[in-house]
Short mmCIF file of all heavy atoms in Angstrom, two decimals:
data_model
loop_
_atom_site.label_atom_id
_atom_site.label_comp_id
_atom_site.label_asym_id
_atom_site.label_seq_id
_atom_site.Cartn_x
_atom_site.Cartn_y
_atom_site.Cartn_z
N ARG A 20 0.83 -1.21 0.00
CA ARG A 20 0.00 0.00 0.00
C ARG A 20 0.86 1.25 0.00
O ARG A 20 0.80 2.07 -0.91
CB ARG A 20 -0.93 -0.01 1.21
CG ARG A 20 -1.77 -1.26 1.34
CD ARG A 20 -2.77 -1.12 2.47
NE ARG A 20 -3.37 -2.40 2.83
CZ ARG A 20 -4.41 -2.54 3.63
NH1 ARG A 20 -4.96 -1.48 4.16
NH2 ARG A 20 -4.89 -3.75 3.91
N VAL A 21 1.65 1.39 1.06
CA VAL A 21 2.58 2.52 1.16
C VAL A 21 3.98 1.95 1.05
O VAL A 21 4.52 1.40 2.01
CB VAL A 21 2.41 3.28 2.50
CG1 VAL A 21 3.37 4.45 2.56
CG2 VAL A 21 0.96 3.76 2.65
N PRO A 22 4.60 2.04 -0.13
CA PRO A 22 5.90 1.40 -0.33
C PRO A 22 6.96 1.91 0.64
O PRO A 22 6.90 3.06 1.11
CB PRO A 22 6.26 1.79 -1.78
CG PRO A 22 4.95 2.12 -2.42
CD PRO A 22 4.10 2.71 -1.34
N ALA A 23 7.91 1.03 0.94
CA ALA A 23 8.97 1.38 1.89
C ALA A 23 9.77 2.61 1.44
O ALA A 23 10.36 3.30 2.28
CB ALA A 23 9.90 0.19 2.07
N SER A 24 9.77 2.89 0.16
CA SER A 24 10.49 4.06 -0.34
C SER A 24 9.94 5.36 0.23
O SER A 24 10.66 6.36 0.31
CB SER A 24 10.43 4.10 -1.88
OG SER A 24 9.09 4.03 -2.33
N GLU A 25 8.66 5.36 0.63
CA GLU A 25 8.08 6.55 1.25
C GLU A 25 8.79 6.89 2.56
O GLU A 25 8.97 8.06 2.90
CB GLU A 25 6.59 6.35 1.50
CG GLU A 25 5.74 6.32 0.25
CD GLU A 25 5.77 7.63 -0.50
OE1 GLU A 25 5.39 8.67 0.09
OE2 GLU A 25 6.18 7.64 -1.68
N ALA A 26 9.18 5.87 3.29
CA ALA A 26 9.92 6.09 4.54
C ALA A 26 11.37 6.46 4.26
O ALA A 26 11.92 7.39 4.87
CB ALA A 26 9.84 4.84 5.41
N ASP A 27 11.99 5.73 3.34
CA ASP A 27 13.42 5.96 3.07
C ASP A 27 13.68 7.40 2.69
O ASP A 27 14.64 8.02 3.17
CB ASP A 27 13.89 5.04 1.94
CG ASP A 27 13.82 3.56 2.31
OD1 ASP A 27 13.84 3.26 3.52
OD2 ASP A 27 13.76 2.73 1.39
N GLN A 28 12.83 7.96 1.83
CA GLN A 28 13.12 9.29 1.30
C GLN A 28 12.98 10.39 2.36
O GLN A 28 13.75 11.35 2.38
CB GLN A 28 12.26 9.59 0.08
CG GLN A 28 10.77 9.58 0.30
CD GLN A 28 9.98 9.56 -1.02
OE1 GLN A 28 10.54 9.39 -2.10
NE2 GLN A 28 8.66 9.74 -0.94
N ILE A 29 12.03 10.23 3.29
CA ILE A 29 11.90 11.28 4.29
C ILE A 29 12.94 11.14 5.40
O ILE A 29 13.45 12.13 5.92
CB ILE A 29 10.47 11.35 4.87
CG1 ILE A 29 10.25 12.74 5.50
CG2 ILE A 29 10.20 10.22 5.86
CD1 ILE A 29 8.80 13.09 5.71
N VAL A 30 13.30 9.89 5.75
CA VAL A 30 14.37 9.69 6.73
C VAL A 30 15.67 10.29 6.21
O VAL A 30 16.38 11.00 6.92
CB VAL A 30 14.54 8.19 7.05
CG1 VAL A 30 15.83 7.95 7.82
CG2 VAL A 30 13.35 7.67 7.85
N ASP A 31 15.97 10.02 4.95
CA ASP A 31 17.19 10.56 4.35
C ASP A 31 17.19 12.08 4.36
O ASP A 31 18.21 12.71 4.68
CB ASP A 31 17.35 10.06 2.91
CG ASP A 31 17.68 8.58 2.83
OD1 ASP A 31 18.05 8.00 3.88
OD2 ASP A 31 17.55 8.00 1.73
N LYS A 32 16.06 12.69 4.03
CA LYS A 32 16.01 14.15 3.94
C LYS A 32 16.10 14.80 5.32
O LYS A 32 16.78 15.81 5.49
CB LYS A 32 14.74 14.59 3.23
CG LYS A 32 14.79 16.04 2.76
CD LYS A 32 13.76 16.31 1.68
CE LYS A 32 13.92 17.72 1.12
NZ LYS A 32 12.94 17.99 0.03
N VAL A 33 15.40 14.22 6.30
CA VAL A 33 15.46 14.78 7.65
C VAL A 33 16.89 14.70 8.19
O VAL A 33 17.41 15.67 8.77
CB VAL A 33 14.47 14.06 8.58
CG1 VAL A 33 14.72 14.42 10.04
CG2 VAL A 33 13.04 14.39 8.19
N ARG A 34 17.53 13.58 7.97
CA ARG A 34 18.91 13.43 8.45
C ARG A 34 19.86 14.36 7.70
O ARG A 34 20.78 14.94 8.31
CB ARG A 34 19.36 11.98 8.28
CG ARG A 34 18.70 11.03 9.27
CD ARG A 34 19.08 9.58 8.98
NE ARG A 34 18.54 8.66 9.98
CZ ARG A 34 18.62 7.34 9.91
NH1 ARG A 34 19.23 6.78 8.86
NH2 ARG A 34 18.11 6.58 10.85
N ALA A 35 19.64 14.53 6.41
CA ALA A 35 20.51 15.43 5.63
C ALA A 35 20.40 16.86 6.11
O ALA A 35 21.36 17.64 6.00
CB ALA A 35 20.15 15.34 4.15
N ASN A 36 19.22 17.19 6.68
CA ASN A 36 19.01 18.53 7.21
C ASN A 36 19.46 18.67 8.67
O ASN A 36 19.22 19.70 9.30
CB ASN A 36 17.54 18.91 7.10
CG ASN A 36 17.10 19.10 5.66
OD1 ASN A 36 17.88 19.54 4.82
ND2 ASN A 36 15.84 18.77 5.37
N GLY A 37 20.09 17.61 9.19
CA GLY A 37 20.60 17.66 10.56
C GLY A 37 19.60 17.25 11.62
O GLY A 37 19.88 17.40 12.81
N GLY A 38 18.45 16.71 11.20
CA GLY A 38 17.43 16.31 12.16
C GLY A 38 17.65 14.90 12.69
O GLY A 38 18.46 14.13 12.16
N THR A 39 16.90 14.56 13.73
CA THR A 39 16.94 13.22 14.33
C THR A 39 15.85 12.36 13.72
O THR A 39 14.67 12.75 13.72
CB THR A 39 16.73 13.30 15.85
OG1 THR A 39 17.80 14.04 16.43
CG2 THR A 39 16.67 11.91 16.47
N ALA A 40 16.23 11.19 13.19
CA ALA A 40 15.24 10.28 12.62
C ALA A 40 15.65 8.85 12.92
O ALA A 40 16.63 8.35 12.38
CB ALA A 40 15.11 10.49 11.11
N TRP A 41 14.90 8.21 13.81
CA TRP A 41 15.06 6.77 14.03
C TRP A 41 14.29 6.05 12.92
O TRP A 41 13.26 6.55 12.44
CB TRP A 41 14.47 6.35 15.37
CG TRP A 41 15.09 6.95 16.59
CD1 TRP A 41 15.94 8.02 16.67
CD2 TRP A 41 14.88 6.52 17.94
NE1 TRP A 41 16.27 8.27 17.97
CE2 TRP A 41 15.64 7.37 18.77
CE3 TRP A 41 14.13 5.51 18.52
CZ2 TRP A 41 15.66 7.22 20.16
CZ3 TRP A 41 14.15 5.36 19.89
CH2 TRP A 41 14.91 6.20 20.70
N HIS A 42 14.76 4.85 12.55
CA HIS A 42 14.07 4.11 11.48
C HIS A 42 14.12 2.62 11.80
O HIS A 42 15.20 2.04 11.92
CB HIS A 42 14.74 4.39 10.13
CG HIS A 42 13.91 3.92 8.96
ND1 HIS A 42 14.39 3.91 7.67
CD2 HIS A 42 12.64 3.47 8.88
CE1 HIS A 42 13.46 3.47 6.85
NE2 HIS A 42 12.38 3.19 7.56
N LEU A 43 12.93 2.01 11.94
CA LEU A 43 12.81 0.57 12.20
C LEU A 43 12.11 -0.07 11.02
O LEU A 43 10.99 0.32 10.67
CB LEU A 43 12.01 0.33 13.49
CG LEU A 43 11.91 -1.13 13.95
CD1 LEU A 43 13.27 -1.66 14.39
CD2 LEU A 43 10.89 -1.26 15.10
N ILE A 44 12.76 -1.05 10.39
CA ILE A 44 12.24 -1.70 9.19
C ILE A 44 12.00 -3.18 9.46
O ILE A 44 12.89 -3.88 9.95
CB ILE A 44 13.20 -1.56 8.00
CG1 ILE A 44 13.58 -0.09 7.78
CG2 ILE A 44 12.62 -2.16 6.73
CD1 ILE A 44 14.98 0.26 8.18
N GLY A 45 10.79 -3.65 9.14
CA GLY A 45 10.48 -5.07 9.23
C GLY A 45 10.62 -5.71 7.87
O GLY A 45 9.79 -5.47 6.99
N THR A 46 11.67 -6.50 7.66
CA THR A 46 11.90 -7.07 6.33
C THR A 46 10.92 -8.18 5.99
O THR A 46 10.82 -8.57 4.83
CB THR A 46 13.35 -7.60 6.21
OG1 THR A 46 13.54 -8.66 7.16
CG2 THR A 46 14.36 -6.50 6.47
N ASN A 47 10.20 -8.69 6.98
CA ASN A 47 9.19 -9.72 6.73
C ASN A 47 7.79 -9.22 7.08
O ASN A 47 6.91 -9.98 7.45
CB ASN A 47 9.50 -10.99 7.52
CG ASN A 47 9.49 -10.76 9.03
OD1 ASN A 47 9.53 -9.61 9.49
ND2 ASN A 47 9.45 -11.83 9.81
N GLU A 48 7.59 -7.90 6.96
CA GLU A 48 6.31 -7.29 7.31
C GLU A 48 5.81 -6.41 6.16
O GLU A 48 6.57 -6.04 5.26
CB GLU A 48 6.44 -6.43 8.58
CG GLU A 48 6.84 -7.20 9.82
CD GLU A 48 5.70 -8.01 10.44
OE1 GLU A 48 4.62 -8.11 9.82
OE2 GLU A 48 5.88 -8.52 11.56
N GLY A 49 4.52 -6.09 6.22
CA GLY A 49 3.90 -5.25 5.21
C GLY A 49 3.33 -3.98 5.81
O GLY A 49 4.05 -3.21 6.43
N HIS A 50 2.02 -3.79 5.64
CA HIS A 50 1.37 -2.56 6.08
C HIS A 50 1.03 -2.67 7.57
O HIS A 50 -0.13 -2.80 7.97
CB HIS A 50 0.12 -2.31 5.25
CG HIS A 50 -0.37 -0.90 5.30
ND1 HIS A 50 0.38 0.16 4.85
CD2 HIS A 50 -1.54 -0.37 5.74
CE1 HIS A 50 -0.31 1.28 5.00
NE2 HIS A 50 -1.47 0.99 5.56
N GLY A 51 2.07 -2.62 8.40
CA GLY A 51 1.95 -2.85 9.83
C GLY A 51 2.62 -4.15 10.21
O GLY A 51 2.86 -5.01 9.36
N PHE A 52 2.96 -4.29 11.48
CA PHE A 52 3.68 -5.47 11.96
C PHE A 52 2.67 -6.51 12.46
O PHE A 52 1.97 -6.28 13.45
CB PHE A 52 4.64 -5.10 13.08
CG PHE A 52 5.89 -4.39 12.61
CD1 PHE A 52 6.00 -3.92 11.31
CD2 PHE A 52 6.97 -4.22 13.46
CE1 PHE A 52 7.15 -3.28 10.87
CE2 PHE A 52 8.13 -3.57 13.05
CZ PHE A 52 8.22 -3.10 11.74
N ALA A 53 2.63 -7.67 11.79
CA ALA A 53 1.67 -8.72 12.14
C ALA A 53 2.27 -9.82 12.99
O ALA A 53 1.55 -10.65 13.53
CB ALA A 53 1.08 -9.32 10.86
N LYS A 54 3.59 -9.87 13.10
CA LYS A 54 4.27 -10.92 13.85
C LYS A 54 4.60 -10.40 15.25
O LYS A 54 5.17 -9.32 15.40
CB LYS A 54 5.52 -11.38 13.11
CG LYS A 54 5.19 -11.99 11.74
CD LYS A 54 6.42 -12.38 10.98
CE LYS A 54 6.03 -13.12 9.69
NZ LYS A 54 5.30 -12.25 8.75
N LYS A 55 4.25 -11.19 16.25
CA LYS A 55 4.34 -10.71 17.63
C LYS A 55 5.75 -10.28 18.01
O LYS A 55 5.93 -9.24 18.67
CB LYS A 55 3.85 -11.78 18.61
CG LYS A 55 3.81 -11.29 20.06
CD LYS A 55 3.30 -12.34 21.01
CE LYS A 55 3.16 -11.75 22.41
NZ LYS A 55 4.43 -11.29 22.98
N GLU A 56 6.76 -11.04 17.65
CA GLU A 56 8.10 -10.67 18.07
C GLU A 56 8.51 -9.31 17.49
O GLU A 56 9.20 -8.52 18.16
CB GLU A 56 9.12 -11.74 17.66
CG GLU A 56 9.28 -11.96 16.17
CD GLU A 56 10.36 -12.98 15.86
OE1 GLU A 56 10.98 -13.51 16.81
OE2 GLU A 56 10.58 -13.25 14.66
#
């Protein structure tokens, strides 16, 4: 639905501007985290 590139591009831009951006990526997840761990 919302491709991961939507997150990548804003994290990169915020960091390039000197801002703080944490980023957590679920490589086995989609539109929300469905796995308990």
Side-chain angles (χ1 to χ4, degrees):
R20 306 187 194 191
V21 181
S24 54
E25 290 297 302
D27 296 337
Q28 61 193 9
I29 200 162
V30 167
D31 290 345
K32 196 161 186 178
V33 168
R34 288 175 176 174
N36 292 327
T39 297
W41 298 14
H42 193 189
L43 185 67
I44 307 107
T46 63
N47 62 345
E48 298 283 9
H50 199 62
F52 285 11
K54 297 177 174 65
K55 185 179 186 298
E56 63 177 0

